[in-house]
Amino acid sequence: MTLKEQRKPIRKAVFPVAGLGTRFLPATKAIPKEMLPIIDRPLIQYAVDEAREAGIEQLIFVTGRGKTAIVEHFDTAYELEHTMRDRGKVLDILAPTRIQPGNLVTVRQQVPMGLGHAIWCARAVVGDEPFAIFLPDEMMIGTPGCMKQMVDAYEDVGGNLISVLEVPAAEVSSYGVIAPGARVSDTLTEVKGLVEKPKREDAPSNLIISGRYILQPEVMRTLECQESGAGGEVQLTDAMARMIGRQPFHAVTFAGRRYDCGSKAGFVEATLALALEREDMAEDVRAIMRRLLAQSGG
């Protein structure tokens, strides 16, 4: 049996969704930020759809207090479906919200101690399998999706992978940046190190980490023994950095677009961009944008 045949498939994905969403207050006082809609689908739905396209079967939501609406979104709404049927409405619109029984698991992060701690909270469900991580705030739009591109790369090289994007050098100080090694292909690069928010002149590259990961289960043991880092939180970047050199570690340059929906401007940008791609509303949205720009003198 070849090494490729022995490689465990990526069947599980962790979604850290316990954050308070304070940048979107007061909208997120009673509604999880992951449920804020980009047109007619909540952010979390885009991430789940991307996971399913990549062949992921089990969804693990790391939640906190007040986040039950996320799980409700993927449950069967009997009253809604009954009413829609009685009114002769097609239920196809609800198909993406249906999860196979047993394929959605939630665990609680009782204390907000950072992304690394949130991932560690899912250790019992992940077990000894490699797994994916999705940060739903970062909307990745492409064909195929970002995680599908990463799973395809994983099947070739195994180990750990992170999604990266090229940005102008002037922007690197706002992100985590990789120190690149050998170039395996046009889209696959060996990772030699990770640097969090470097100064422009100190940045080892212009490839920024962009919210999608495939990690080996050993990262859980690294997180378990890891002390708090920046901001007094357990940082996932620190744990990944410790694994470089011990296991294969590569970066996949995503062939697609990223929208930072954790920021208000990025949220608006994503809404407009996706609206302009929809046949049912693109023409109306263009007309609205032209009118608003004319009114504002833009």
Side-chain angles (χ1 to χ4, degrees), residues 178-223:
I178 71 162
R183 194 74 180 255
V184 179
S185 69
D186 290 344
T187 59
L188 196 60
T189 307
E190 187 182 9
V191 176
K192 290 294 190 181
L194 303 169
V195 183
E196 191 65 32
K197 298 183 178 179
K199 294 180 180 178
R200 176 177 179 175
E201 59 271 20
D202 297 332
S205 74
N206 67 333
L207 294 172
I208 65 165
I209 304 170
S210 54
R212 300 291 186 272
Y213 313 79
I214 291 175
L215 299 179
Q216 295 299 313
E218 286 78 10
V219 74
M220 294 298 190
R221 290 181 276 285
T222 303
L223 288 167

Side-chain angles (χ1 to χ4, degrees), residues 134-261:
F134 288 76
L135 305 188
D137 281 1
E138 301 201 32
M139 179 183 285
M140 311 292 273
I141 302 297
T143 305
C146 183
M147 187 53 65
K148 179 67 167 67
Q149 294 177 32
M150 293 179 70
V151 168
D152 289 345
Y154 169 81
E155 290 174 354
D156 288 333
V157 297
N160 304 276
L161 296 102
I162 53 179
S163 168
V164 296
L165 290 167
E166 291 189 52
V167 300
E171 297 180 13
V172 293
S173 60
S174 299
Y175 302 98
V177 179
I178 71 162
R183 194 74 180 255
V184 179
S185 69
D186 290 344
T187 59
L188 196 60
T189 307
E190 187 182 9
V191 176
K192 290 294 190 181
L194 303 169
V195 183
E196 191 65 32
K197 298 183 178 179
K199 294 180 180 178
R200 176 177 179 175
E201 59 271 20
D202 297 332
S205 74
N206 67 333
L207 294 172
I208 65 165
I209 304 170
S210 54
R212 300 291 186 272
Y213 313 79
I214 291 175
L215 299 179
Q216 295 299 313
E218 286 78 10
V219 74
M220 294 298 190
R221 290 181 276 285
T222 303
L223 288 167
E224 189 161 10
C225 303
Q226 183 171 300
E227 296 181 357
S228 299
E233 298 181 335
V234 179
Q235 299 293 339
L236 181 62
T237 302
D238 293 343
M240 292 192 299
R242 288 185 176 87
M243 296 174 71
I244 295 172
R246 301 179 186 175
Q247 295 180 339
F249 214 116
H250 293 86
V252 178
T253 302
F254 174 47
R257 294 167 288 144
R258 166 189 177 268
Y259 298 103
D260 178 11
C261 293

Side-chain angles (χ1 to χ4, degrees), residues 31-107:
I31 299 172
K33 65 176 180 177
E34 295 83 9
M35 290 301 296
L36 296 177
I38 301 293
I39 307 177
D40 51 11
R41 278 198 291 171
L43 275 172
I44 188 65
Q45 183 72 63
Y46 288 93
V48 166
D49 290 347
E50 183 186 330
R52 285 165 150 175
E53 180 199 19
I56 287 166
E57 300 167 8
Q58 189 170 50
L59 313 176
I60 307 163
F61 291 170
V62 182
T63 67
R65 290 177 60 83
K67 294 283 187 164
T68 54
I70 299 174
V71 180
E72 293 287 342
H73 176 72
F74 293 103
D75 200 354
T76 300
Y78 292 104
E79 300 87 346
L80 173 63
E81 295 191 9
H82 179 75
T83 301
M84 290 178 68
R85 286 193 188 93
D86 283 352
R87 296 178 180 178
K89 294 184 179 294
V90 178
L91 300 182
D92 293 355
I93 192 70
L94 297 177
T97 69
R98 295 193 179 96
I99 303 292
Q100 187 76 13
N103 281 5
L104 190 155
V105 179
T106 64
V107 297

